Amino acid sequence: MAVNPLLAASIALRLGGVGYSLALLSRSRDRRFAFLTCMLALMAARQVWTAMATTATGLAELPGLLVSVLAVATVHYLSRYVSEEDRIKARLRETNEELRSFRKAVEHAGHAIFLTDTDGTIEYANPAVETVTGYAPEGVVGEDPSLWKSGEHDDDFYEDLWATITDGEVWDGEIINERRDGEFCWVDMTVAPITDDAGEVDRFVAVDTDVTERKERELRIREQKERLEHLNDTNEVLREVNRRLVQADDRDDVERAACEQFAATDPYDAAWVATRNMVNDAVRERTHAGIDAESLDAVVAALNDADGETPVDRALTEGVTAVARTGDGDDGFAPAGSAATLAIPLTYRDVSYGALVVHAADADALDAVDPSVLDELGETIGYAVDAAESKQSLVADRVTELTFRLPPDAGPLFELAAGLDCELELDRLSVAADGAPVEYVTVRGADADAVCDAAAADPRFESAQVLSDGDEAAVVRFAVSDASVVTTLADRNCVVDSLSADAAGGRVTAEMPQSASVGSVVEAVRARHPDADLIAQRERERSTETRGEFRAALEDRLTERQLEALQTAHFAGYFDWPRETSGEDAAALMDISQSTFLQHLRAAERKLGERLFDEESDAGTRATAGRLAAKR
C-alpha cells in the first residue's frame, strides 16, 4: 500500500520531534520535554495507525502536518525558553550568592551599619550596632538614630548633616554619641544616600566606627601639648618674677613685681595680693595689676559676702594653693571674662604675708601647673617680703610700736618669773657664736643661785650665768632655745624695746617699720602664743644718733683725765696684742703713776660700756635683731 507523502512527512516530522525532545530532555532534565516527548510520540503513533487504517488523500493529512510542525516548533522554542531560564537562574544564583556574601560581610563587619528610609527610620541594623551603641539590632529597627543623640552637638550640626545627605551627597565626620549605658563615645560616621533607577534618594546607609580610644589619645596628646605650653609660660613668669624680686627694695616692690608679671603674660589676665583685716577679718587688697579698681572692689566684696569657703580663704587660712573655676559656685569671685581663680599663699617661716590671687581666661592653664611649683613660688615671694622688711627695719625712720600682754606660760622667761614669783626685765638681746639667742636679764625678788638652778632644770635654757649679784637685783645671762617671744619678734624683723615678766605674766614692747605688716607680726606671735593680746599700737619717729652725737655724749660723761687716759691707751697701742705699750709706759706719757692711769682708764671703759650697752642706740639694737633673724 502506497503511503501518502504528506502523511509520511508528518510522521517523520513527529518522530524527529520525539527524538529532538528526547535529546533536550536528556540534556536539560526538564520534565516539560518529557511531556512533549510523550505527546509527540502519541501523535506519531496515531498517525501511523491512521496511515495503516485509512486511504485518505494527502490533503486530509495537511492539518496533521501543520500540527506536527507546530509541535516541533514548540519543542524548539521551549528549548530556547529553557536555556534563557537556565541563564536567568544561574544569574540569580550568582546574585543571591553575592547578596549572601555581602550580607555575611555586613553581619560580621566590625563597623556598625544600618539602613534607614528617607525619614530616618532604621530598617536594618547589623550586630555591630550593639557594640557601638549598646542597643541590640532588633531593638533599634523602627527607631531613628536620635536614640543615641548625646546633646554635645547643636542643632546646626544635625541640620547640616541632614541637608548634605538629602541633597544626594555623602556626609563624613566625627560625632559624639551617647551609648545605652550613658557613656559618651566618639564615632567616625559616614552617611551615604542610596538612589533608585530614577536617581531619587530611596534610603540611607550609615557606617559608624567607634574611635573613642583614638580620640582620647589625640585629646591627651593635645592636652599634654597645651599643658606644656602653659607650663613654659608659667615657668617664664616664675623666672621673671624671681629676677624682679632680687631687685625689689621693699614689700610693695615685691608684690608689684609678682602681680605685674602674671598680669602681663598669657594666659593670665589679672593678679592681686590679698590680706586679712586684723579688726574684722575681712579680705582686702594691697597691690593689683591687670584689673581696674572698680572691678577689683566687686571681686573683694563678693569674697567677703560669700557664705562658703573661697579659694582666697583657703590660701589665707589654711596656707594651701587653691583653684576654682568660674561656674563652680564662685562666679562673683573673678572679674568678667576670667574662667578660673588661683590663690597662692605667701608664707615664710609659717607666717602668712597674704595670698597672690591670679585670674585666667583659660581654666586649663591653671590645671597645667604643678601645685608644688606654685607653693614654691609663694614661699619665694614670702621670703622676698621678709627680706625686704628685714632690710627696711634697719633704715626706717618711722616705726610702729606694738605692746603685747602675755600669760605666765608664754615662754621660758615668763614661766621662770611665775615659778619663782620674781620680776624679770630684759636688758639686752644678743646672739651667741652658734646663733643661739642670748638674753641679758635683770632679776629682782629671787636669789641668783635659785634662778640658775631653775634654768638648769628647764631644757629650753641652754645655760644661765650670773654676771652680777647685788642686794636688790642680779644680772643673769641666759642662752635660750627658739621657744621665746623675743625670738619670734626677731624673726619678724622687729626690735624688742622692753620685756618684763612677773608672777601674773608680762609685757613685751617691740618696734617695726611703719610700712611692714602689723597683721603678720600679730599672727606670728599668736601662732606661737595663742593667749597673747595686742594691747597697744602707736606710730612714732625713730630716734637716730650720728657718730658725732654719740662721741659728744660720751665725752660729756668722761672727765678730762679719763678721756686723756682712754685716748693715750688707744693711740699708744695699749689695747693691741701683743701689747706695744705697758701701763707704766702709758702712765709716764701722762706724767702720772701707773695706778692712777689704770684708775682713770677703767672709769673711762666703764662709762663707754654703759653708753654702748645700757643705753644702746636704736641702730645697735636693730643690728642685733637682724643678726639673730639671719642666723635663724
Side-chain angles (χ1 to χ4, degrees):
M1 177 181 62
V3 180
N4 189 321
L6 291 176
L7 181 59
S10 177
I11 292 172
L13 186 60
R14 291 181 180 184
L15 290 174
V18 170
Y20 182 37
S21 180
L22 283 172
L24 293 174
L25 175 61
S26 175
R27 187 182 67 184
S28 66
R29 302 297 180 181
D30 193 316
R31 286 173 291 182
R32 288 171 293 185
F33 289 111
F35 171 77
L36 290 174
T37 300
C38 293
M39 183 184 72
L40 289 171
L42 290 173
M43 290 174 65
R46 178 180 176 279
Q47 274 198 321
V48 171
W49 178 268
T50 299
M52 293 176 61
T54 183
T55 57
T57 63
L59 292 174
E61 294 299 327
L62 184 60
L65 179 61
L66 294 175
V67 170
S68 298
V69 172
L70 291 175
V72 173
T74 298
V75 172
H76 173 70
Y77 284 109
L78 180 59
S79 171
R80 296 188 61 183
Y81 173 78
V82 169
S83 297
E84 181 65 19
E85 184 181 51
D86 289 342
R87 187 186 66 79
I88 292 173
K89 285 181 179 180
R91 179 58 182 164
L92 286 175
R93 283 194 298 270
E94 292 176 0
T95 302
N96 287 336
E97 185 61 31
E98 291 177 358
L99 289 175
R100 280 193 298 271
S101 298
F102 176 75
R103 185 180 183 88
K104 186 175 181 180
V106 170
E107 294 289 335
H108 291 84
H111 309 289
I113 302 174
F114 54 90
L115 298 173
T116 74
D117 61 16
T118 53
D119 294 328
T121 303
I122 298 174
E123 298 178 335
Y124 166 80
N126 72 339
V129 167
E130 184 171 6
T131 302
V132 177
T133 68
Y135 294 91
E138 59 274 11
V140 302
V141 173
E143 302 287 344
D144 62 71
S146 64
L147 186 64
W148 44 81
K149 187 177 180 180
S150 65
E152 291 295 305
H153 305 284
D154 56 22
D155 293 339
D156 292 340
F157 177 86
Y158 294 103
E159 290 175 1
D160 174 72
L161 187 157
W162 188 253
T164 300
I165 60 177
T166 52
D167 286 344
E169 299 179 5
V170 176
W171 186 94
D172 185 24
E174 291 181 343
I175 187 172
I176 301 176
N177 288 336
E178 182 178 359
R179 292 170 50 85
R180 186 176 183 180
D181 58 7
E183 294 290 332
F184 283 5
C185 64
W186 282 91
V187 173
D188 187 357
M189 184 170 71
T190 300
V191 185
I194 300 175
T195 57
D196 56 17
D197 294 339
E200 297 294 329
V201 176
D202 183 57
R203 57 177 48 85
F204 302 104
V205 58
V207 180
D208 289 359
T209 304
D210 189 342
V211 293
T212 303
E213 291 186 4
R214 187 198 73 194
K215 194 66 179 181
E216 289 178 346
R217 185 166 56 252
E218 292 176 357
L219 293 176
R220 283 196 300 271
I221 294 174
R222 184 185 308 167
E223 181 181 356
Q224 290 172 355
K225 181 180 178 181
E226 292 175 354
R227 286 174 64 89
L228 182 60
E229 292 174 353
H230 293 322
L231 187 58
N232 289 336
D233 292 339
T234 302
N235 286 337
E236 183 62 31
V237 173
L238 300 183
R239 284 192 291 270
E240 185 61 23
V241 168
N242 288 331
R243 185 187 67 80
R244 292 189 59 183
L245 290 183
V246 174
Q247 303 172 351
D249 292 326
D250 54 32
R251 179 173 182 174
D252 290 340
D253 286 346
V254 171
E255 294 174 341
R256 190 180 305 111
C259 292
E260 290 178 352
Q261 199 57 43
F262 269 99
T265 307
D266 289 334
Y268 309 105
D269 296 328
W272 55 285
V273 174
T275 59
R276 290 281 191 198
N277 186 307
M278 295 303 298
V279 177
N280 57 16
D281 207 37
V283 174
R284 62 182 182 181
E285 170 266 338
R286 278 185 51 87
T287 308
H288 68 273
I291 182 173
D292 59 85
E294 183 178 355
S295 299
L296 183 55
D297 288 343
V299 171
V300 173
L303 289 167
N304 288 321
D305 293 339
D307 295 329
E309 186 180 53
T310 69
V312 178
D313 290 332
R314 293 198 63 196
L316 291 175
T317 305
E318 302 176 22
V320 297
T321 298
V323 179
R325 296 173 180 267
T326 301
D328 291 347
D330 68 322
D331 296 30
F333 305 158
S338 291
T341 298
L342 169 69
I344 308 170
L346 308 181
T347 59
Y348 181 66
R349 290 181 180 165
D350 297 327
V351 175
S352 172
Y353 288 101
L356 176 63
V357 184
V358 180
H359 302 292
D362 185 357
D364 294 336
L366 302 185
D367 295 337
V369 185
D370 189 342
S372 63
V373 175
L374 300 176
D375 292 339
E376 183 177 350
L377 171 64
E379 292 178 1
T380 301
I381 297 175
Y383 170 78
V385 171
D386 181 84
E389 290 192 346
S390 178
K391 179 171 63 176
Q392 192 176 19
S393 69
L394 300 177
V395 298
D397 292 331
R398 292 192 59 83
V399 296
T400 300
E401 187 178 81
L402 306 177
T403 300
F404 294 91
R405 182 170 53 231
L406 295 106
D409 61 351
L413 286 180
F414 296 90
E415 294 178 26
L416 184 65
L420 297 177
D421 192 15
C422 64
E423 296 179 0
L424 303 180
E425 185 175 351
L426 179 67
D427 296 326
R428 176 177 172 78
L429 175 65
S430 184
V431 184
D434 60 358
V438 176
E439 298 170 347
Y440 295 85
V441 178
T442 297
V443 182
R444 294 182 179 88
D447 181 72
D449 292 334
V451 172
C452 290
D453 291 341
D458 189 337
R460 291 172 294 179
F461 290 101
E462 296 182 4
S463 65
Q465 297 173 315
V466 177
L467 301 183
S468 65
D469 187 6
D471 294 336
E472 296 182 357
V475 177
V476 182
R477 178 187 183 276
F478 294 104
V480 299
S481 66
D482 292 348
S484 166
V485 67
V486 174
T487 54
T488 300
L489 290 167
D491 285 344
R492 301 272 55 80
N493 305 307
C494 296
V495 176
V496 176
D497 289 333
S498 65
L499 180 150
S500 60
D502 55 26
R507 292 190 178 193
V508 175
T509 300
E511 64 179 39
M512 57 183 291
Q514 191 178 33
S515 60
S517 171
V518 174
S520 65
V521 174
V522 175
E523 181 181 346
V525 173
R526 288 177 177 171
R528 182 165 291 180
H529 312 286
D531 294 330
D533 290 327
L534 178 64
I535 60 175
Q537 174 182 339
R538 70 185 183 93
E539 297 178 358
R540 63 176 175 82
E541 292 287 341
R542 171 178 279 159
S543 60
T544 58
E545 186 177 48
T546 66
R547 289 183 59 188
E549 290 172 338
F550 176 84
R551 179 173 179 175
L554 178 61
E555 290 177 352
D556 287 342
R557 286 173 171 250
L558 301 176
T559 66
E560 292 184 3
R561 297 299 277 175
Q562 290 169 356
L563 179 60
E564 183 183 2
L566 189 61
Q567 290 175 332
T568 300
H570 172 72
F571 291 112
Y574 178 78
F575 299 115
D576 294 341
W577 186 261
R579 182 174 291 172
E580 298 180 1
T581 303
S582 66
E584 184 178 357
D585 296 334
L589 292 173
M590 293 180 63
D591 195 22
I592 58 177
S593 66
Q594 181 177 355
S595 60
T596 302
F597 167 75
L598 295 176
Q599 182 180 358
H600 290 320
L601 182 60
R602 290 193 181 97
E605 291 172 339
R606 177 176 53 81
K607 291 180 180 181
L608 177 60
E610 289 174 351
R611 183 62 179 148
L612 285 173
F613 304 124
D614 292 345
E615 300 178 11
E616 181 180 53
S617 67
D618 287 344
T621 303
R622 292 196 298 274
T624 300
R627 290 196 303 272
L628 177 61
K631 289 190 176 184
R632 288 167 52 77

